[in-house]
Each structure stands twice: as C-alpha cells, then as structure tokens.
Amino acid sequence: MHQDTTTRSHPTAVSTTTPFRLAILECDTPLPVTQARYESYGGVFRALLRAGVNALSVHDEENLELDISTWDVVHEPEKYPDPETVDGVLMTGSRFSAYDNDAWILTLVSFVKRVISLNSPSSTSSATIDGAKTRAKVKIIGVCFGHQIVGRALGLPVERNSLGWEVSVSRVDLSDVGRRVFRKDNLNIQQMHRDIVIDPSHGGSSLSAHDLSMANLGSSPLCSLQGIYAPAQGLLTIQGHPEFNEGIMQEILETRHRAEIIDDKTFENAMRRVGKEHDGVAVAVAFLRFLFGREI
C-alpha cells in the first residue's frame, strides 16, 4: 500500500473539509515503458486526477485535497482498505476478464458487493436519478475492468463482446444523464476492451425498467453500456480509459499486436486514431465532482 496527497490550491482558498481518502485498487501492472514513468496504474491515475484538479473552475474557492492510497489486489489479495477508513475506492483497468473466477477476482467482487451493501439503504429502490442524493458512505469509481466488476457485483451479465475489440480513441454518444455527468454532448475516449457489461435495456437511458436509480451513461456502435451512474448507491463507472494517453495506448496496442491478440486490421485502424484529442480530463473532472459531492 502506497499513500500520497493531491491538492488543488486557489489564491484565496480556505480549506473547509478534510482530505478525501481515495483508495485505488490496482487490478494489473503496466507495461514496461509505462511502469518506468508512472510506477503503477495508481501512478497513472494520480496523474489523471491531478490534471482534473487543475482543470476545475478557477471560480471554485474551495481546496480539493485527495489523500490517495494504492492497493495491489492481484498480488496481495489479502490486503484491502477498511471501508470505515476511506471515503472512496477507484478500480483500475486490467488485462484480465471480470467474469473469470480467479480467487483474486472473486475477492474483489465480494469487496465491491460489501461496499455497495453499505451504501444501499432499503429506500434506495424507490429513488430516481433526478431525486437521489449521493449519500453513499464509500463512493465507487470503476474504469474498464473496474466498470465490469461493478456490473458483475450488481448482477449484470459480463461477457466477451461478439463484435470484437473496441480500441484507441473512440466516440461515445452520451445519454441525457451522461451529458449531465460529463457536461458534454459526447465523449472521445481511449478504449481497450473486448469484454462488455450487457445492458438489459438494450442501450436505453435506464439500465432496468425496475431500477430508476441507475442510468447508462452512453453507448457506441460496439458497446451499448459505456458507464453506470447510480448516485444513491455511490457508483460511477466508465468503460473507456480516461487515464490513458497516446504513449500508454500505443505501448499496449503494439504489445498486443505483436502477441497476435489484436489483428492487423484492428491495429492499423487503432494506430490512426491513437493520437487524437480525447476527453480524459473532462472525465477526471466528473470523477472529482462525484467524489466531492458537487452538483452533477
């Protein structure tokens, strides 16, 4: 477990809150070039969140301070943060599949279920997206594999995508809720997945006609469920990779192409888009608004 602090300063700011204690659950190890620069995926997310902090409105008079710890849940699955000592958890992406039954994956799913149960009062089922407050004890952010782990913990099917890989900078068409969360009409975001969470509403704005407290944030031609927002349960997930920059994505693409995991056509198409402008920082800002209880 590693710990550090990320702070936003403002010339006239007066800190009115204690630091937000965020535990990053590292679900994989970066490839060598990325690891040399960032040490771990926790380091990649620290860089993203730092950029998000810097991008927030200069009119915000309040300091935003994150007290970040990192947890290697793959190699040290016996070590997890105590939900009583953190305010939020963020699960990273992974080369593994969220539907597999490796011991560490089952432990992770059980942990997420436990946190969701702590966040879910009996009245949650009657809440709606518009009426729900983010009153969760421990907020959960899931990215790619982390998004899929949340889906599995919620009982949604997680499967290999019959349409194949979604990779490199790709457009996500946002739902009404997604536009509100990210304050954009659509997202361009790095993608690296061929597993998906199945949306039982087939891409509609509500994941289930019987659960109006949970919304699908958007869709693409290759994936109809690009994120989950459930404020009453303290959940915000995204299928894409806001933390990936061109260098990180290029290293993954080249490595997987050499290993024949990604075919020539997919690789060549992805490399044409890998350096396109993307909205990773806008997603980081949405993460921070969610964590700090700002209006969404």
Side-chain angles (χ1 to χ4, degrees):
M1 192 266 284
H2 182 271
Q3 198 156 14
D4 73 359
T5 301
T6 297
T7 310
R8 173 173 183 254
S9 298
H10 188 282
T12 60
V14 177
S15 181
T16 59
T17 60
T18 56
F20 187 97
R21 301 165 299 176
L22 179 66
I24 297 179
L25 308 186
E26 297 175 324
C27 303
D28 205 350
T29 302
L31 291 170
V33 175
T34 301
Q35 188 173 36
R37 181 171 181 180
Y38 296 99
E39 295 188 6
S40 69
Y41 278 123
V44 175
F45 274 98
R46 286 190 189 96
L48 175 72
L49 292 169
R50 191 175 299 117
V53 162
N54 291 336
L56 283 171
S57 170
V58 295
H59 300 295
D60 183 352
E61 298 290 330
E62 183 184 16
N63 276 340
L64 298 183
E65 187 172 347
L66 289 169
D67 183 5
I68 298 175
S69 60
T70 55
W71 304 75
D72 185 347
V73 299
V74 180
H75 300 105
E76 296 181 317
E78 73 284 357
K79 295 181 181 179
Y80 270 79
D82 180 348
E84 297 296 327
T85 64
V86 297
D87 303 304
V89 297
L90 184 155
M91 287 177 289
T92 74
S94 178
R95 68 184 184 275
F96 300 101
S97 292
Y99 48 74
D100 283 344
N101 291 320
D102 296 1
W104 75 268
I105 293 176
L106 295 177
T107 300
L108 179 60
V109 173
S110 294
F111 177 80
V112 173
K113 286 182 176 180
R114 177 187 172 199
V115 174
I116 291 174
S117 70
L118 292 174
N119 290 343
S120 302
S122 58
S123 60
T124 295
S125 60
S126 62
T128 66
I129 289 293
D130 290 330
K133 299 293 184 181
T134 312
R135 58 178 177 270
K137 294 180 180 178
V138 180
K139 296 175 183 178
I140 300 174
I141 291 175
V143 174
C144 195
F145 174 84
H147 157 76
Q148 295 161 11
I149 288 290
V150 169
R152 179 173 179 175
L154 291 170
L156 297 172
V158 183
E159 301 174 359
R160 179 64 55 87
N161 190 354
S162 62
L163 299 178
W165 285 96
E166 185 171 35
V167 294
S168 199
V169 177
S170 305
R171 173 175 166 146
V172 172
D173 294 315
L174 297 174
S175 65
D176 289 343
V177 175
R179 287 191 287 273
R180 197 167 79 222
V181 168
F182 298 114
R183 301 189 180 184
K184 297 181 73 69
D185 292 330
N186 56 71
L187 286 180
N188 288 307
I189 190 166
Q190 297 279 13
Q191 300 271 10
M192 177 52 68
H193 70 102
R194 60 175 172 178
D195 294 339
I196 56 173
V197 182
I198 303 299
D199 180 4
S201 67
H202 304 289
S205 62
S206 174
L207 284 167
S208 168
H210 304 290
D211 189 354
L212 298 179
S213 68
M214 194 174 297
N216 179 355
L217 294 176
S219 63
S220 72
L222 293 175
C223 176
S224 68
L225 202 169
Q226 287 281 349
I228 297 170
Y229 180 53
Q233 292 107 315
L235 301 174
L236 177 60
T237 75
I238 191 164
Q239 177 60 75
H241 282 279
E243 79 282 14
F244 282 3
N245 57 32
E246 179 180 356
I248 295 172
M249 179 58 73
Q250 184 169 333
E251 184 180 21
I252 295 172
L253 284 168
E254 290 174 347
T255 299
R256 294 186 175 182
H257 181 239
R258 283 195 302 270
E260 299 183 348
I261 297 170
I262 292 176
D263 62 60
D264 292 346
K265 182 178 179 181
T266 301
F267 173 73
E268 291 164 5
N269 184 277
M271 289 298 289
R272 285 194 291 269
R273 293 178 284 111
V274 71
K276 287 183 62 177
E277 185 175 353
H278 63 87
D279 295 310
V281 174
V283 176
V285 168
F287 285 173
L288 291 165
R289 289 195 186 104
F290 169 71
L291 293 175
F292 283 90
R294 302 300 178 83
E295 182 179 354
I296 289 181

